[in-house]
Amino acid sequence: MHPPPRCAVVAAALIRHTTTTTTLLRPAILKTTSRAAVSLPPRSVQAASPPRLQSRTMASSSSCSSSRGNANGLSKLPSSPIRLLRTVPALRLWRRPHLLDHRTVALVPTMGALHAGHLSLIRQAARENHHVVVSIYVNPAQFGIAEDLDSYPKTWDSDVAQLVKLDRELADDGQNLGRISAVFAPTTQEMYPGGFPGQEIDSKGSFVTITPVGERLEGRTRPTFFRGVATVCMKLFNIVQPERVYFGQKDVQQTVVIKRLVRDFAMPVEVVIGRTERDPGDGLALSSRNVYLGERRRGRATVLYEALRAAEGVYKRGERRRGVILGVANMLVQDVLREESRKGPEERVRFELDYISLADPDTMEEIEVVDPAKGGILSGAIKMLPVEKAREGEDLGHSGGPAVRLIDNIILEPEEKN
Ligand SMILES: Nc1ncnc2c1ncn2[C@@H]1O[C@H](COP(=O)(O)OP(=O)(O)OP(=O)(O)O)[C@@H](O)[C@H]1O
Ligand SMILES: CC(C)(CO)[C@@H](O)C(=O)[O-]
Ligand code: BAL
């Protein structure tokens, strides 16, 4: 079978693009609640990107050449029916018949380095949709210039293996409406066709900004983060044109930003939030960045979750005042810091608390008292610092164990739900 001529691909894309009343063509959409997602590694790169980005993405490309496929969308992940799509026309060509057939398409956006949190989002998407598209793209625009873009974990082969295995499970399990139909793994040139605008705060280009929510909390420490997320998600939504998109509760502020994006730009898509998947042993939220930790820091990385849990306990016992709720969390963190400071450099773990917040669930604005009808969001971020002195043969984590920022949150449910 030959691929269709490129003009046919472009024509299909144009037809889809000019269909503005997508909601009218859709089958009924079930209201959903929550659960989790998926991803694969990057394979970015582009002639138009700065040299620094080029070298990084070139390296990542070669690591997954075995299953990368060609640009016309006819490639599949090894031993599976999952299509590997790398270009916008290929994606649109794949998408078009499902629109005409009234089959629902879900998008699970990821940056690869898949773990059980991603897989949980994909499972949920497959239960509720005929087709699941998993995007795997490490979006440089959401990384600050001093952040970890270059060392961000890239595990293409493992990601592919996890997706193929999950897809077989989905096929064997009669509970699902659909399966993983495609992986969208574009280059940066594909995602930023006018040239990558850069990672600087004052970079010029076509950006989507969602303020003030995107300036708070995570946005204060990572001033270009939500601009990058909103911009790439707007692109992904326009490219895939999914009926539903799946995001993890672990990145709670991101979910608020995405809901705003969809509402404020009247995007015809339903946002579904999947629960945070945690280590069954100690409750640490699964995160691609956990691989940076190494065993020693991993052991203490639960401090944030423990602090949030302590605060949640106070709320559940009837307390509504910020000072008391957050006081408990802060005290726990200070206790752990004191305990660690008494150890020697070959034993201790150092970390800095970035913030612990009690915020309104719709705006992420700090609140003084929890409105029992609305509940609230307890969230926080800590920076795990590199170990001061490695023990002999100690595994310090991916990339030599650099400083790693971890986030977590707990929803304080409205009173009637308790
Ligand atoms: N533990 C988790 N449970 C549920 N969803 C998750 C979890 N971790 C990440 N996700 C979701 O998966 C999607 C893709 O996230 P991403 O690829 O950035 O992984 P990540 O683990 O959050 O990575 P990072 O360590 O860079 O924050 C996002 O919607 C994110 O919220
Ligand atoms: C949503 C996302 C894939 C956009 O790059 C990223 O922010 C993430 O992985 O959460
Ligand atoms: N999980 C959110 C993506 C990021 O931190 O860059």
Side-chain angles (χ1 to χ4, degrees), residues 2-13 16 71-74 83 85 87-98 239:
H2 297 288
R6 188 169 168 78
C7 57
V9 173
V10 173
R16 172 60 180 157
N72 60 22
L74 294 180
R83 300 282 288 270
L85 306 170
T87 67
V88 174
L91 192 292
R92 289 200 163 130
L93 187 65
W94 170 84
R95 177 69 176 93
R96 177 75 180 151
H98 307 309
I239 293 166

Side-chain angles (χ1 to χ4, degrees), residues 333-407:
V333 171
Q334 293 312 319
D335 285 349
V336 173
L337 278 170
R338 250 193 311 277
E339 197 182 312
E340 288 299 321
S341 71
R342 286 195 284 265
K343 298 178 184 168
E346 288 192 354
E347 303 299 327
R348 68 181 159 228
V349 171
R350 298 176 310 142
F351 65 90
E352 288 167 0
L353 179 65
D354 187 345
Y355 63 84
I356 293 196
S357 152
L358 175 59
D360 180 285
D362 298 326
T363 63
M364 297 305 285
E365 199 169 0
E366 296 301 311
I367 51 177
E368 285 306 315
V369 178
V370 182
D371 174 349
K374 276 187 107 176
I377 304 284
L378 277 169
S379 69
I382 54 170
K383 187 172 173 186
M384 305 295 291
L385 302 173
V387 305
E388 287 164 282
K389 193 165 178 207
R391 296 191 285 261
E392 186 148 344
E394 183 174 3
D395 171 17
L396 298 177
H398 175 67
S399 221
V404 47
R405 207 161 159 282
L406 303 176
I407 60 172

Side-chain angles (χ1 to χ4, degrees), residues 33 50 78 223 317 322 415:
T33 43
R317 289 193 290 278
R322 173 190 186 81
E415 223 160 58

Side-chain angles (χ1 to χ4, degrees), residues 6 39 52-53 57 77 93 106-107 122 136 169 171 173 195 201 206 227 259 282 295 345 392 409:
R6 188 169 168 78
S39 92
R52 175 167 173 272
L53 285 177
T57 49
L77 298 193
L93 187 65
L107 170 66
I122 293 172
I136 294 175
E169 284 168 28
D173 169 2
I201 292 176
S206 303
R227 180 184 74 177
K259 285 187 207 155
D282 64 9
E295 198 179 334
E392 186 148 344
N409 67 86

Side-chain angles (χ1 to χ4, degrees), residues 111 142-143 222 225 250-251 254 289:
M111 301 207 303
Q142 69 191 66
F143 289 76
R222 306 180 68 187
F225 175 57
K250 198 257 298 171
D251 298 275
Q254 176 168 273
R289 288 190 170 94

